[in-house]
């Protein structure tokens, strides 16, 4: 088990290296630079800045320099938030994003599974159609529509919750962002669970369980849900990685100081180090959660062998 | 045995799997309604902009952010003030009794000196009046009535922050969003089907390697590469759907590969091999016809995904460029001023959502129809 | 089995009265069971016999409240006088799993793959018997010993996927016996198993019944099994009971024509011999096939020998029967002979060495050597019409043929296999299993082959249909002097069709020889087991006229 985890983490290194290299050169071949502002800087200032950030060196030298720093865990200074290093930005932003994302994930898994099971057990009945319709709607409405709408209804019209802002992590400020993030995920999990549950309830071993007069709870939860949860587990890996690394839309609309905002901003501003840092953080999350999914899978299904 | 002339036997028409699927699809009311809705939406987006009477990039400075309304602008009570505003710099005295009727406004004006004919230009400048002319010019030429047609403009959905008709823009945006959705899906399908069927058909080491590549690509934050791509290489319509298509082909490749592998093991393929049928014949008669089902299903489900992705990029400001627009762009604009004018968000959001909703229902319906085991 | 005494027979435990089952389908309601009466007394074994679609399984599923969602049951199902049909779940669950238990046809999937055997065995005991976890576990172990699972102490901790099909079916039986039930419903419990395993399971059931004395309802399509274990027989057809009576009476004096047809369905006769002067069509010398099994990254793959050093000779007009259980390598051997798999050793076809010949060499020969598959549902492309399926070979081997001529040939060959040529524009899914197998045979016959390898062509079919296919194959062989390699696990069919028989086990030949010699005087113990397990009727000694 531990050996497997270590092996998996070890094989992730080439993947990460590939990502770092790809992202580095992709950003650099792009036109523009971090100091090409609308009002051009004086040539002298520009030169100095380039010198400070090693932009005057040949590209491969910069690449090696960046890799070297990366090995020491140094993401470098941000080009745009000049008073901060990328690591500092993450140190303050990541906990916020993770907090919001994790809450949304838990909410999605709990409600999604419950709704999915409930719908599956009432297949082709009005309740089922209702849940399926809502779930389709949930998948359909983009976050960037839900977010302003929720903010408008609950923040502006009803005035129950703050329409935006972080408020130093006050509970009321977290409600709308978490709900916004969770809604589409609830929809996906519901649909996945429902489909898998319907299939599981038709399987032969469920027929056995029913024929042996086991309690409905045992039949549905112990036997059917355990196999029906497998596709949800597969899905929740990438979903977790995406949620925990912050959402551009939600963080922008609700004004939350997470790391989700950084990527697009940094890309637009050619904040090289911040873009790289974000790419790496996201990649690491994806790798870790893929591993977690495989471990969970093996835990749930004894037929799956790790290795 | 079997010597009698059998060619006379009139063949009975069979019911192919496609026929069966069509029958099942027709029974699915949600899918059929969605299909009708989608056709209507597509027609509206294609033809609608020609009928609204507004250009999608036509700016009405007099009507910035007006609300949706069935009755035409300008409102009667706003005509007189508007006329006064228009003539403010014309150095004329505007009389008290401005008369409005039959789509025509009559403004009595007088001046210290002789009235210049060019005074009507002032009234024509805005979006409200047109065809201004001087009538009833008094003998001394110092007073007259400016007569002008009132331009009756209807903004069913209101206008946006720069005073453009939102209905026209929403419909035009629909064109763009749906076109990108379709084209990107085609790109994804072409790459995915080619890659997947090749991988599945070649099998062995080639398959292993090709799928390993897909696995690696899966573990990349690919959507961010699309963002990078779009940020760096400009916001370009073509690049847009190529980038989106290039991200979405991975699933298709996996599905097609899996299907190809399953089909290769099917006994009817083995039977064809045993008959001595060549590879091309097997591919053409056995593999491809059996692949179409899953591909069609995936395609219908991919279109809404792609439209959503495009809207997302547009929302981030990485989509098509002004004055062109797409639903994502409109929603972004609407969200920016949601407190002042929620309709600017609501209409495009409604269009986008209902289209995606219909597409999803059609996709689900097709899946149920083509793969009846599911239900 | 001994006849019942009247005293015992009086005590009816399960009484099904006027049971009706309807399914709501897309094409409207379908009546699967139409008014069935079956009663089962204490200690009695009742067999419900019928072909697929007769409603025999649905009758018992309905009785146990296990119908799928679109099914509805009406009538009465009395367990010791109490109607359990439509009982609220809580009450019903006091009966099922406790007083009435079931075993199913699919041993591979009837157990939950995610839990250990122990856990699954214990669940009903804890639920109904009120046992604690420890006590239940102890009893589970006893039960596994009772049903004869090897190394029960290890197996109890195992997961279902670690057990063979026979072992899983034994676990199911153990589970069925756990709460000392009154009635055991066995729904085709041996159909998915190899014949030797099948015999062991049947012996186990018979033995347990004698010891414990429970009533058994045995659902099957196999009359051989019925004769072996049943006291009473209920014959079902199209959702109705057509005949019921004591086993001996049904077998000796069947009243209903359908029963007579079922009894008559075992393939009869034997193959008229072919002279030794006929030319050799296929000749395999020391044929072997092995597969590489990947063992993970960087390790050399393990070699699995599916077929080892098999030699055989078949002359024109002869039929060679290859007999063996699943995994014996008989199908692999058949494909290797046809050069569909790479093999070692030498294969000659019509005197020409075709061992591992390339595609170009084989293509012209393919028209003379054909293959028919077991599964008539998988072997026909679902998106081609029957006419297209049948004439696909002509596209390859007679590419010059016009469409009209191909159509004519399709009609001709469909008539030859007794199908209506008017059906040639229909699709495979519109035909029954037997008809599909006829289409598959037509596909090979259109090319007028010399050699046909038949891979279990009758195994997926009902007995009565099986008999028709056997007759068809016989007729075609006589008419076109075909040479058959007939692969089957069904000894009755092989005995009726083959000149010579090869018995295979784990890739090797254990015995080979003329059909009569093998069946009447088997030398190898494995062959003897197979023959005993098949419970064949004695040979009629009647030769079918050529």
């Amino acid at each position: 088990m531990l050996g497997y985890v270590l092996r998996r983490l070890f094989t992730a290194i080439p993947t990460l290296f590939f990502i770092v290299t790809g992202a580095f050169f992709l950003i650099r071949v792009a036109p523009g630079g971090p100091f090409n502002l609308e009002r051009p800087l004086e040539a002298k200032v520009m030169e100095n800045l380039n010198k400070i950030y090693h932009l005057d060196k040949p590209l491969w030298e910069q690449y090696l320099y960046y890799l070297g720093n990366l090995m020491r865990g140094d993401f470098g200074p941000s080009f745009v938030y000049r008073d901060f290093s990328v690591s500092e930005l993450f140190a303050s932003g990541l906990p916020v994003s993770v907090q919001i994302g994790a809450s949304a994930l838990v909410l999605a898994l709990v409600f999604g599974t419950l709704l999915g099971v409930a719908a599956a057990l009432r297949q082709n009945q009005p309740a089922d159609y209702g849940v399926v319709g809502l779930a389709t709607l949930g998948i359909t409405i983009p976050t960037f529509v839900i977010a302003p709408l929720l903010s408008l209804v609950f923040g502006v019209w009803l005035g129950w919750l703050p329409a935006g802002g972080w408020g130093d992590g006050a509970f009321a400020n977290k409600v709308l962002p978490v709900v916004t993030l969770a809604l589409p995920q609830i929809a996906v999990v519901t649909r996945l669970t429902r489909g898998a549950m319907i299939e599981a309830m038709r399987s032969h071993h469920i027929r056995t369980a029913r024929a042996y007069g086991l309690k409905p709870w045992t039949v549905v939860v112990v036997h059917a849900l355990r196999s029906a949860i497998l596709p949800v587990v597969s899905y929740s890996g990438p979903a977790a990685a995406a949620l925990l690394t912050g959402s551009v839309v939600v963080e922008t609309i609700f004004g939350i100081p997470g790391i989700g905002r950084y990527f697009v901003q940094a890309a637009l501003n050619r904040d090289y180090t911040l873009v790289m840092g974000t790419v790496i953080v996201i990649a690491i999350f994806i790798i870790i959660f893929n591993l977690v999914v495989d471990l969970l899978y093996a835990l749930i299904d004894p037929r799956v062998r790790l290795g | 045995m079997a010597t009698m002339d059998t060619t006379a036997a009139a063949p009975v028409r069979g019911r192919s799997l496609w026929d069966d699927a069509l029958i099942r699809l027709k029974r699915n009311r949600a899918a059929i309604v969605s299909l009708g809705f989608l056709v209507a939406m597509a027609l509206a987006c294609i033809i609608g902009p020609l009928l609204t009477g507004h250009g999608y990039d036509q700016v009405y400075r007099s009507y910035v952010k007006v609300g949706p309304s069935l009755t035409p602008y300008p409102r009667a009570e706003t005509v007189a003030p508007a006329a006064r505003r228009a003539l403010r710099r014309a150095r004329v005295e505007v009389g008290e009794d401005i008369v409005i009727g039959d789509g025509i406004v009559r403004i009595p004006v007088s001046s210290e000196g002789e009235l210049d004919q060019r005074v009507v230009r002032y009234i024509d400048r805005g979006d409200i009046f047109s065809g201004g002319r001087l009538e009833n010019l008094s003998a001394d030429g110092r007073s007259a009535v400016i007569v002008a047609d009132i331009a009756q403009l209807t903004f069913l959905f209101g206008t946006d922050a720069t005073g453009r008709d939102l209905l026209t823009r929403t419909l035009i945006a629909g064109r763009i969003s749906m076109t990108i959705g379709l084209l990107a899906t085609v790109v994804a399908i072409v790459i995915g089907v080619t890659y997947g069927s090749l991988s599945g058909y070649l099998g062995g080491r080639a398959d292993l390697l090709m799928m390993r590549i897909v696995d690696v690509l899966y573990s990349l934050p690919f959507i961010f590469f699309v963002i990078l791509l779009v940020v760096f290489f400009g916001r370009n319509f073509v690049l847009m759907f190529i980038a989106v298509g290039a991200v979405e082909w991975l699933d298709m490749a996996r599905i097609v590969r899996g299907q190809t592998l399953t089909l290769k093991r099917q006994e009817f393929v083995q039977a064809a091999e045993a008959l001595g049928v060549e590879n091309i014949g097997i591919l053409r008669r056995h593999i491809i016809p059996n692949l179409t089902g899953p591909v069609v299903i995936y395609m219908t489900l991919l279109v809404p995904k792609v439209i959503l992705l495009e809207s997302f990029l547009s929302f981030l400001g990485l989509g098509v460029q002004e004055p062109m627009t797409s639903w994502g762009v409109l929603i972004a604009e609407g969200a920016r001023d949601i407190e002042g004018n929620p309709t600017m968000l609501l209409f495009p959001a409604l269009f986008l959502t209902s289209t995606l909703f219909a597409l999803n229902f059609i996709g689900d319906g097709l899946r149920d129809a083509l793969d009846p085991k599911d239900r | 089995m001994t006849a019942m005494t009247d005293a015992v027979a009086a005590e009816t435990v399960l009484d099904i009265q006027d049971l009706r089952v309807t399914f709501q389908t897309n094409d409207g309601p379908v009546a699967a069971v139409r008014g069935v009466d079956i009663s089962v007394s204490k200690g009695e074994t009742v067999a419900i016999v019928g072909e697929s679609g007769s409603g025999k399984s649905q009758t018992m599923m309905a009785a146990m409240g296990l119908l799928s969602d679109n099914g509805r049951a009406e009538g009465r199902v009395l367990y010791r006088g109490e109607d359990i049909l439509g009982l609220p779940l809580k009450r019903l669950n006091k009966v099922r799993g406790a007083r009435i238990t079931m075993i199913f046809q699919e041993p591979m999937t009837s157990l939950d793959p995610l839990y250990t055997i122990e856990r699954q065995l214990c669940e009903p005991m804890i639920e109904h018997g009120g046992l604690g976890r420890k006590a239940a576990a102890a009893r589970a172990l006893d039960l596994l010993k009772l049903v004869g699972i090897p190394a029960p102490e290890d197996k109890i901790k195992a997961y279902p996927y670690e057990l063979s099909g026979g072992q899983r079916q034994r676990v199911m039986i153990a589970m069925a016996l756990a709460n000392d039930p009154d009635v055991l419903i066995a729904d085709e419990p041996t159909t998915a198993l190899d014949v030797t395993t099948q015999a062991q399971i049947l012996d186990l059931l018979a033995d347990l019944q004698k010891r414990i004395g429970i009533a058994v309802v045995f659902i099957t399509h196999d009359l051989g099994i019925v004769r072996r274990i049943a006291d009473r027989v209920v014959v079902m057809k199209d959702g109705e009971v057509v005949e019921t009576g004591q086993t001996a009476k049904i077998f000796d004096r069947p009243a209903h024509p359908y029963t007579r047809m079922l009894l008559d369905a075992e393939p009869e006769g034997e193959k008229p011999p072919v002279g030794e002067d006929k030319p050799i069509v296929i000749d395999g010398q020391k044929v072997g096939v092995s597969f590489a099994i990947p063992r993970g990254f960087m390790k050399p793959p393990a070699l699995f020998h599916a077929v080892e050093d098999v030699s055989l000779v078949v002359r024109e007009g002869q039929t060679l029967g290859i007999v063996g259980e699943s995994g014996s390598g008989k199908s692999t051997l058949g494909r290797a002979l046809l050069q569909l798999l790479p093999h070692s050793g030498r294969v000659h076809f019509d005197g020409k060495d075709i061992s591992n010949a390339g595609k170009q060499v084989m293509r012209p020969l393919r028209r003379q050597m054909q293959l028919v598959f077991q599964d008539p549902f998988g072997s026909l492309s679902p998106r081609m019409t029957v006419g297209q399926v049948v004439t696909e070979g002509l596209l390859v081997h007679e590419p010059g043929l016009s469409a009209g001529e191909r159509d004519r040939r399709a009609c001709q060959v469909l008539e030859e296999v007794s199908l209506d040529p008017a059906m040639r524009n229909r699709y495979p899914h519109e035909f029954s299993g037997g008809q599909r197998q006829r289409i598959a045979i037509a596909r090979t016959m259109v090319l007028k082959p010399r050699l046909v390898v038949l891979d279990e062509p009758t195994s997926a079919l009902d007995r009565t249909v099986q008999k028709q296919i056997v007759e068809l194959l016989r007729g075609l062989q006589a008419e076109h002097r075909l040479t058959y390699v007939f692969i089957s696990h069904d000894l009755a069919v092989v005995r009726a069709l083959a000149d010579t028989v090869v018995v295979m086990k784990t890739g090797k030949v254990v015995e080979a020889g003329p059909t009569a010699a093998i069946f009447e005087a088997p030398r190898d113990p494995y062959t003897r087991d197979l023959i005993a397990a098949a419970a064949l009727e004695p040979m009629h000694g009647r030769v079918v006229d050529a």
Side-chain angles (χ1 to χ4, degrees), chain A residues 30-269:
Chain A
F35 309 119
N36 295 359
L37 305 177
E38 294 193 1
R39 199 162 39 83
L41 294 168
E42 274 175 55
K44 192 77 193 153
V45 179
M46 192 80 163
E47 203 175 296
N48 275 335
L49 278 172
N50 281 341
K51 201 164 214 154
I52 293 168
Y53 290 102
H54 304 277
L55 294 180
D56 51 344
K57 306 246 172 60
L59 197 53
W60 63 269
E61 218 171 288
Q62 291 182 43
Y63 171 66
L64 292 181
Y65 178 75
Y66 183 77
L67 273 189
N69 278 345
L70 208 55
M71 297 293 186
R72 291 191 294 275
D74 180 6
F75 287 103
S78 167
F79 285 67
V80 174
Y81 303 92
R82 297 230 188 110
D83 298 333
F84 299 95
S85 73
V86 173
S87 308
E88 283 165 350
L89 288 174
F90 285 154
S92 72
L94 196 56
V96 174
S97 290
V98 167
Q99 207 181 359
I100 299 272
S103 315
L105 184 68
V106 171
L107 211 63
L109 289 178
V110 170
F111 281 96
T113 318
L114 284 178
L115 282 173
V117 171
L121 295 181
R122 289 169 185 75
Q123 199 198 350
N124 294 340
Q125 290 171 26
D128 176 37
Y129 289 134
V131 170
V132 171
L134 279 179
T136 311
L137 200 65
I139 291 176
T140 316
I141 308 185
T143 353
F144 51 84
V145 173
I146 299 178
L149 278 183
L150 287 181
S151 165
L152 178 71
V153 173
F154 294 99
V156 179
W157 289 349
L158 298 173
W160 293 350
L161 294 161
W166 179 234
D168 279 332
F171 178 77
N173 288 67
K174 290 183 204 160
V175 174
L176 287 183
V178 168
V179 171
T180 307
L181 272 182
L183 282 177
Q185 303 300 330
I186 292 177
V188 176
V189 173
T190 302
R191 283 174 64 112
L192 277 177
T193 314
R194 176 183 174 270
M197 230 7 226
I198 286 173
E199 211 182 305
M201 288 303 286
R202 277 195 213 137
S203 64
H204 290 143
H205 68 261
I206 292 302
R207 183 184 62 190
T208 308
R210 289 170 60 206
Y212 279 82
L214 302 183
K215 287 192 197 76
W217 169 267
T218 317
V219 174
V220 172
V221 177
V222 177
H223 289 284
L225 188 57
R226 180 155 169 186
S227 49
I229 206 80
L230 287 173
V232 178
V233 170
S234 300
Y235 171 77
S236 60
L243 285 174
L244 300 194
T245 48
S247 148
V248 197
V249 173
V250 169
E251 293 185 5
T252 311
I253 292 180
F254 291 107
I256 289 165
I259 65 162
R261 305 162 299 160
Y262 290 147
F263 192 86
V264 179
Q265 277 176 21
L268 285 170
N269 297 330

Side-chain angles (χ1 to χ4, degrees), chain B residues 120-364:
Chain B
V120 295
R121 287 192 195 157
Y122 288 97
I123 201 85
D124 282 353
R125 248 174 217 166
D127 309 306
I128 303 180
F129 308 108
S130 63
R133 54 205 178 269
L134 277 182
E135 285 181 10
N136 300 353
L137 196 63
S138 62
D140 57 2
R142 290 191 180 180
S143 65
V145 176
I146 298 180
V147 181
D149 301 324
I150 302 172
Q152 300 275 332
L153 294 171
T154 314
F155 303 106
L156 285 178
F157 287 5
T159 57
D160 70 2
T162 40
R164 291 171 296 193
D165 178 41
L166 195 58
L167 173 63
T168 316
R169 287 188 70 71
T170 308
L171 294 175
I172 284 285
R175 272 194 206 171
I176 299 292
S177 288
M178 287 202 245
T179 314
I180 291 183
L182 272 178
L183 290 179
T185 304
V186 169
V187 171
I189 297 280
V190 168
I191 303 178
V193 170
T194 316
Y195 194 93
S197 56
L198 204 66
S199 176
Y201 193 76
L202 292 175
R205 263 164 220 274
D207 177 42
L208 220 60
L209 182 73
M210 289 175 83
M211 279 302 120
R212 190 77 206 133
I213 292 174
V214 169
D215 286 344
V216 169
L217 291 179
Y218 255 114
S219 69
L220 299 183
F222 219 130
I223 172 74
F224 293 98
F225 275 99
V226 173
I227 294 178
L228 282 184
L229 223 65
V230 177
V231 168
F232 296 148
F233 298 103
R235 300 184 292 168
N236 178 320
F237 181 80
V238 177
L239 185 81
M240 191 82 190
F241 69 75
I242 290 184
V244 173
V247 178
E248 296 290 344
W249 65 273
L250 293 172
D251 286 320
M252 188 75 250
R254 277 196 169 173
I255 292 170
V256 169
R257 171 192 172 258
Q259 283 288 324
T260 313
L261 282 182
T262 323
L263 285 172
K264 253 171 65 179
R265 278 194 295 268
Q266 292 278 313
E267 285 194 340
F268 60 79
V269 172
Q270 292 179 28
E273 278 167 6
L275 284 174
V277 180
E278 285 175 68
N279 286 347
I280 188 82
I282 290 179
L283 214 57
R284 205 161 55 85
R285 281 197 294 278
H286 299 281
I287 307 270
I288 292 176
N290 284 295
L291 271 180
T292 38
V295 170
V296 166
I297 294 167
Y298 183 73
M299 206 170 102
T300 12
L301 292 173
L302 187 57
V303 174
K305 255 177 96 177
V306 167
I307 293 182
L308 198 61
L309 185 52
E310 182 272 332
S311 319
F312 175 66
L313 290 175
S314 294
F315 178 83
L316 296 180
L318 307 173
V320 289
Q321 269 177 309
E322 287 284 330
M324 247 319 149
T325 188
S326 82
W327 282 333
V329 175
L330 290 179
I331 290 170
E333 284 169 2
R336 230 169 277 142
D337 190 24
I338 187 155
E339 288 173 46
N341 197 356
T343 49
M344 267 174 62
L345 170 71
L346 288 179
F347 283 115
L350 197 68
F351 271 58
L352 172 65
T353 312
S354 58
T355 305
L356 296 180
F357 203 53
L359 276 166
N360 269 305
F361 265 123
I362 295 170
D364 285 352

